Amino acid sequence: MGKIIAVANQKGGVGKSTTVVNLSAYLGSRGYKVLCVDFDPQGNSTTGFGIKKRNVEISSYNLIVGKNRVNEAVIVTEFQNVSVIPATETLAGAEMELINMENRVNRLKMQLLTVKNDYDYILIDCPPALGSLTINALVAADSIIVPMLAEFYALEGLSQLVNTIKIVKSNHNPSLDIEGILFTMFDGRLNVANDVVAEVEKYFPNKVFQTKIPRNVRISEAPSHGKPVMYYDKTSKGTDAFTLLGLEILGEPLELPQKKRRGIFNFKKERQ
C-alpha cells in the first residue's frame, strides 16, 4: 500500500509546489510509482510538470465535489513513473461548496483510498491556507512535510500549523504524523537562519530534515520550462538537494558520489 504525504504550510511562497514536483521526480527516477495531487487552486505543481491548465478537463476540483473518480483525472507525465491529478482555478470554489456537503473533511481521503494500492507514494500539494482543502489533505495523509523559511516570522506559522495537525489527529486522523520539517531557500551563512533552525530543532527533535534546500537559480528556472530541476539541469545544486531529500525520505545514506555537499546539509556558520 502506498504512502500519502501532504506538503503543507499555510504561508505562501515557502516552496510547497517546488518540493512536490522535485521530490516526486526523484522518487520516480528511483523506480517508485508516484502520484502528485495538485490541491492548490494556483496549480503550480500542474505547471511544474509542463501540463497546460487550459487543456485540463478533469481536475482535483472534480474529485472533491464528487463529479469524477481519481482514475479519470490522472495525467501520466513524460517524467519517469510520475502521474499528476492537475488543479485549475475552479478548485477555489470548492471551499464554499464543501460547507454543505456530507463527510466534507473525508472527501479526498475516500477518493485516494481507491488508488492507494496503485502507487508507492502519493504527494499532495496543499494550498497556502488552513481551510477545508488543507484539512481534507491532512485527513487523507499518512504524514506531512512542512516546508518553511528560516525566518522568525515563519515560527508563528509553524505553531498554527502544528495546532491544526493536533486537531486533525484528535478528531479525524489519529495516525497522522510529521514526516519532517524542510527548510527551503536556505542560506546557512546567515546567523538568523541557523538560529531559527536551532529553535525548531529544540521543539521538534528528530523532525527536521538534515537536508536543506538552498536558494538556487536552476530550481527557480525549471518551472518555466515545465520540468523538475533534475530534468532541467541534472548537475545543479538544486538537483543535488532534492536527491538528498529523497534519500532521507527513503531512509538511505545521504551520499552524493563525487559531489560537494556544502550548502545542502545542515552546516552551520562558524561563530567568532
Side-chain angles (χ1 to χ4, degrees):
M1 181 174 287
K3 184 173 187 178
I4 301 177
I5 303 175
V7 180
N9 189 327
Q10 75 274 22
K11 286 186 174 292
V14 298
K16 291 186 292 295
S17 300
T18 298
T19 299
V20 168
V21 169
N22 291 294
L23 178 58
S24 297
Y26 174 75
L27 293 173
S29 74
R30 289 290 306 276
Y32 295 96
K33 194 172 182 183
V34 183
L35 175 64
C36 296
V37 181
D38 195 344
F39 219 45
D40 183 348
Q42 297 176 88
N44 290 337
S45 287
T46 301
T47 302
F49 282 112
I51 298 170
K52 304 296 184 183
K53 286 181 280 189
R54 64 177 178 272
N55 297 330
V56 170
E57 296 181 359
I58 301 173
S59 69
S60 52
Y61 166 79
N62 298 73
L63 304 188
I64 198 69
V65 299
K67 291 184 177 180
N68 294 89
R69 307 300 294 173
V70 172
N71 288 330
E72 298 175 292
V74 170
I75 295 174
V76 178
T77 75
E78 63 184 278
F79 309 106
Q80 187 177 4
N81 294 316
V82 178
S83 297
V84 176
I85 294 176
T88 65
E89 64 277 1
T90 57
L91 184 60
E95 290 276 1
M96 293 298 295
E97 293 183 52
L98 285 169
I99 293 174
N100 297 317
M101 289 184 178
E102 295 182 2
N103 296 317
R104 61 179 179 270
V105 301
N106 291 297
R107 298 185 71 84
L108 182 62
K109 177 180 180 178
M110 292 187 291
Q111 288 275 18
L112 294 183
L113 283 176
T114 66
V115 296
K116 193 173 183 181
N117 289 333
D118 298 333
Y119 297 93
D120 297 300
Y121 290 93
I122 299 175
L123 274 64
I124 308 172
D125 184 5
C126 299
L130 293 178
S132 298
L133 296 179
T134 297
I135 298 299
N136 259 269
L138 296 183
V139 171
D142 298 306
S143 63
I144 175 174
I145 291 175
V146 184
M148 67 177 289
L149 305 181
E151 301 173 352
F152 275 108
Y153 282 132
L155 294 174
E156 294 181 4
L158 179 61
S159 176
Q160 294 169 3
L161 179 59
V162 168
N163 287 335
T164 300
I165 293 171
K166 289 179 179 178
I167 293 170
V168 171
K169 281 175 67 75
S170 298
N171 298 324
H172 305 289
N173 185 2
S175 62
L176 180 64
D177 192 20
I178 295 177
E179 184 82 21
I181 297 168
L182 175 66
F183 283 97
T184 59
M185 295 173 253
F186 184 75
D187 188 344
R189 297 170 299 178
L190 303 177
N191 287 340
V192 65
N194 292 308
D195 290 343
V196 171
V197 170
E199 188 76 5
V200 174
E201 288 178 336
K202 181 171 71 173
Y203 288 102
F204 300 94
N206 304 315
K207 289 296 185 183
V208 178
F209 285 109
Q210 185 177 352
T211 304
K212 309 291 184 287
I213 308 300
R215 291 187 181 275
N216 178 253
V217 173
R218 295 305 194 199
I219 292 176
S220 300
E221 291 175 344
S224 66
H225 295 268
K227 296 180 178 181
V229 68
M230 68 179 295
Y231 287 90
Y232 176 62
D233 184 351
K234 64 181 180 181
T235 65
S236 71
K237 288 183 178 180
T239 296
D240 288 351
F242 281 106
T243 296
L244 291 170
L245 176 62
L247 291 171
E248 281 201 69
I249 295 290
L250 296 174
E252 297 181 7
L254 303 188
E255 297 179 355
L256 286 173
Q258 300 179 346
K259 292 285 186 179
K260 294 182 179 180
R261 296 190 289 264
R262 182 177 176 84
I264 297 173
F265 283 114
N266 185 13
F267 71 89
K268 293 191 175 183
K269 181 180 177 181
E270 293 293 326
R271 305 292 180 89
Q272 299 298 325

